[in-house]
Amino acid sequence: MNLSVREIVAAVNGVNHAIQHEDQCVESVEFDTRKVIENSLFVPLKGARDGHDFIPQAIESGAFLVLSERELSEGVSYIKVEDTLVALQKLAQYFLEKVHPKVIGITGSNGKTTTKDMTEAVLSQHYKTYKTQGNYNNHIGLPYTILSMPEDTEMLVLEMGMDHKGEIEVLSNISKPDIAAITLIGESHIEYLGSRAGIAEAKMEITAGLKEDGVLIIPNDEPLLKRMIIDIPQTVDTFGIGTEATLSASILSETKVDTQFETNLFEGEVFSIPVLGGYNVKNALIALLIGHFFNVPVSKMKNGLATFDLTKNRTEWLKTNDGIDILSDVYNANPTAMKLVLDTFSALKLEGRKFIVLGDMLELGELSNQMHESVAEHISPKKIDQVYLYGEQMESLYNLLHERMPQGSIHFYRKTEKKEMMTHLSEKMQPKDTVFLKASNGMGLSEVVEFLLKSHE
């Protein structure tokens, strides 16, 4: 990046206290002192600690310019602003206009990270493409992503996350997407949004900044969204499996390492994705719609999907040294997502026994017991050999299942009993067995995955 002091002052509407010449440029923008390098602009943000307290450390690490809400000592080069977070967002908007890539915004209760990864893989076959790194998808992460993209970026794929109403509207207005996509409406954050309808309304905020000639992509099987698109002026494309959508898929085959499908729009073409599950085919359909809109050749789109890299902890296959397969999906969970993966895992033809480890799904509010119980219909003793339920909220599911499952096949552990659960699970599993783990990130099932890998070395 090259942003001059003059540009930054104008973009953030700040007061210039910079020692450097106005034409001198910063090469990166950072809010974490651990990432500051020579010629960085440091933006101190207020969180658990006030980033202003780390300004000396940032300067020592190489930052030559700082945004600050405070008056700083003489000899420090800074731009005075009223609010450093707002200034960061304004600077991102300026840089976005300067680079002027096409912008794709992706949100949804589940699958947005995978869809982002697939979309980047499809577009990067034909364009210089940059995407949200990791989970930098909020009011800080999104502007940081924008400011981190190379100046020759042609396509910018932005993941948009939220906890509360109004948050995606902010992200959409910062980024002004050309295409906006909603993967699905689940139950994540229903504690704060009240209902699935409230979640759908919050996800539809992605249209707040959508360009007038832009495109909105939604699932064809979501009536909540269908009702909300009646009055929007932009084009609406739909996707689904076995449905009359703009882009519809038929699944040809599913294994634990790949899924093949064909579509109504690209007749005679068979697409392959290196992940399991029909729900991931839906994510791939979004990527294909976006690639098609930007005229990426079908052969390149096929290659992009077949070789895309999935962000860590998203439905990741691992294997212990003694031959136990682990399907780790421990980054987040809501009832819709948990049921989708359970159905796919249950249907897989595997050599050994099937184990599942399910932890609490958080932020479900007063509906928590009911929603945990709803998972019971997706766990069959004919398809699952051993069930491990972890966390206080999983007790309601345990109470439903323990009479349906054979004696000795279902186990319940409270949050304080993680070590006991890990030990018992590890001792129970044998080579050629497969275990699927899923829970909200706050339940820390990644620790269970690591324990299994180490204990079966």
Side-chain angles (χ1 to χ4, degrees):
M1 115 172 340
N2 281 292
L3 282 175
S4 70
V5 174
R6 180 188 290 108
E7 287 179 288
I8 296 169
V9 171
V12 303
N13 194 28
V15 178
N16 189 5
H17 294 276
I19 300 169
Q20 291 81 5
H21 191 277
E22 286 188 334
D23 290 329
Q24 188 164 342
C25 292
V26 302
E27 296 175 8
S28 71
V29 178
E30 302 293 347
F31 60 87
D32 184 340
T33 54
R34 292 169 297 184
K35 295 184 178 180
V36 169
I37 58 173
E38 290 295 322
N39 297 324
S40 290
L41 167 67
F42 178 63
V43 183
L45 300 175
K46 295 175 180 176
R49 298 188 63 179
D50 190 336
H52 287 78
D53 297 338
F54 297 91
I55 288 175
Q57 184 178 334
I59 293 172
E60 185 178 334
S61 297
F64 83 80
L65 187 64
V66 175
L67 297 185
S68 177
E69 298 172 16
R70 304 176 182 173
E71 300 286 344
L72 300 182
S73 59
E74 198 170 323
V76 176
S77 190
Y78 71 102
I79 298 170
K80 180 78 159 48
V81 296
E82 289 187 8
D83 187 311
T84 52
L85 175 58
V86 172
L88 177 73
Q89 294 170 345
K90 285 181 176 179
L91 187 59
Q93 287 178 301
Y94 172 81
F95 190 60
L96 190 60
E97 291 174 9
K98 181 178 180 179
V99 177
H100 203 61
K102 296 295 183 181
V103 178
I104 298 94
I106 297 170
T107 192
S109 298
N110 194 64
K112 54 185 176 289
T113 299
T114 302
T115 304
K116 169 203 71 178
D117 293 337
M118 289 179 168
T119 301
E120 186 271 341
V122 164
L123 293 175
S124 64
Q125 297 289 310
H126 203 62
Y127 299 98
K128 292 178 179 176
T129 306
Y130 190 74
K131 68 177 178 180
T132 300
Q133 304 297 302
N135 62 340
Y136 276 51
N137 62 10
N138 64 6
H139 60 299
I140 297 171
L142 181 135
Y144 179 76
T145 297
I146 292 171
L147 289 163
S148 299
M149 69 174 166
E151 285 197 327
D152 62 353
T153 299
E154 296 173 298
M155 297 283 170
L156 179 62
V157 185
L158 296 173
E159 180 180 329
M160 299 184 184
M162 52 148 274
D163 294 323
H164 297 82
K165 186 176 174 57
E167 293 176 345
I168 288 182
E169 181 177 359
V170 171
L171 305 183
S172 182
N173 281 324
I174 290 172
S175 58
K176 299 288 190 295
D178 296 272
I179 295 184
I182 301 174
T183 60
L184 64 78
I185 303 302
E187 302 84 7
S188 297
H189 317 302
I190 201 167
E191 179 179 7
Y192 309 125
L193 295 162
S195 64
R196 288 187 74 252
I199 293 168
E201 289 174 4
K203 300 302 183 185
M204 276 294 290
E205 292 174 11
I206 198 169
T207 63
L210 182 63
K211 292 186 175 68
E212 288 185 7
D213 61 348
V215 176
L216 174 66
I217 299 172
I218 63 169
N220 196 50
D221 59 356
E222 183 48 80
L224 288 171
L225 293 176
K226 287 287 192 71
R227 290 197 290 268
M228 295 176 184
I229 63 173
I230 296 173
D231 297 325
I232 74 165
Q234 294 91 349
T235 299
V236 178
D237 284 343
T238 58
F239 64 91
I241 296 175
T243 180
E244 292 185 7
T246 309
L247 183 58
S248 177
S250 299
I251 297 177
L252 301 176
S253 67
E254 291 184 72
T255 71
K256 72 177 190 179
V257 292
D258 78 339
T259 306
Q260 294 191 341
F261 63 95
E262 57 187 7
T263 71
N264 61 331
L265 198 58
F266 308 106
E267 291 186 12
E269 300 286 352
V270 175
F271 296 88
S272 178
I273 51 176
V275 286
L276 82 164
Y279 56 95
N280 276 318
V281 170
K282 290 184 176 182
N283 298 332
L285 293 178
I286 296 174
L288 287 173
L289 278 170
I290 294 168
H292 183 60
F293 180 84
F294 289 118
N295 300 311
V296 179
V298 176
S299 59
K300 290 187 175 183
M301 292 197 292
K302 286 176 66 175
N303 187 60
L305 285 180
T307 59
F308 90 97
D309 291 324
L310 185 65
T311 297
K312 186 174 173 58
N313 290 338
R314 268 69 171 187
T315 322
E316 179 182 24
W317 280 105
L318 302 166
K319 198 178 193 75
T320 65
N321 286 342
D322 63 353
I324 294 171
D325 286 317
I326 300 172
L327 179 57
S328 171
D329 192 0
V330 298
Y331 186 77
N332 57 28
N334 61 65
T336 296
M338 187 170 281
K339 294 170 189 176
L340 286 170
V341 190
L342 276 172
D343 288 346
T344 298
F345 181 71
S346 297
L348 283 177
K349 294 179 180 179
L350 302 173
E351 192 174 350
R353 296 173 300 167
K354 290 181 182 177
F355 288 62
I356 60 174
V357 180
L358 306 180
D360 286 350
M361 298 175 284
L362 307 178
E363 299 180 359
L364 297 180
E366 60 187 24
L367 297 173
S368 182
N369 283 347
Q370 176 186 334
M371 289 189 172
H372 281 78
E373 289 173 355
S374 71
V375 176
E377 300 306 315
H378 299 261
I379 300 173
S380 167
K382 294 180 180 179
K383 297 179 179 180
I384 302 296
D385 297 286
Q386 291 284 320
V387 178
Y388 287 74
L389 302 177
Y390 171 63
E392 276 64 20
Q393 294 180 58
M394 275 292 167
E395 187 170 11
S396 57
L397 178 57
Y398 172 77
N399 291 336
L400 265 183
L401 285 178
H402 83 280
E403 292 181 358
R404 302 183 191 179
M405 299 291 292
Q407 187 174 1
S409 67
I410 184 163
H411 317 274
F412 171 68
Y413 297 86
R414 301 192 179 278
K415 200 170 182 182
T416 55
E417 300 170 327
K418 182 186 281 186
K419 186 173 182 180
E420 292 92 324
M421 180 186 71
M422 293 192 300
T423 301
H424 187 267
L425 174 65
S426 178
E427 291 173 350
K428 195 85 171 177
M429 296 201 73
Q430 301 170 0
K432 297 184 180 180
D433 288 341
T434 304
V435 58
F436 162 58
L437 303 97
K438 190 168 181 65
S440 289
N441 193 33
M443 298 304 293
L445 285 194
S446 58
E447 185 182 345
V448 181
V449 174
E450 292 301 319
F451 183 85
L452 288 174
L453 291 170
K454 290 179 180 177
S455 61
H456 287 267
E457 285 182 339

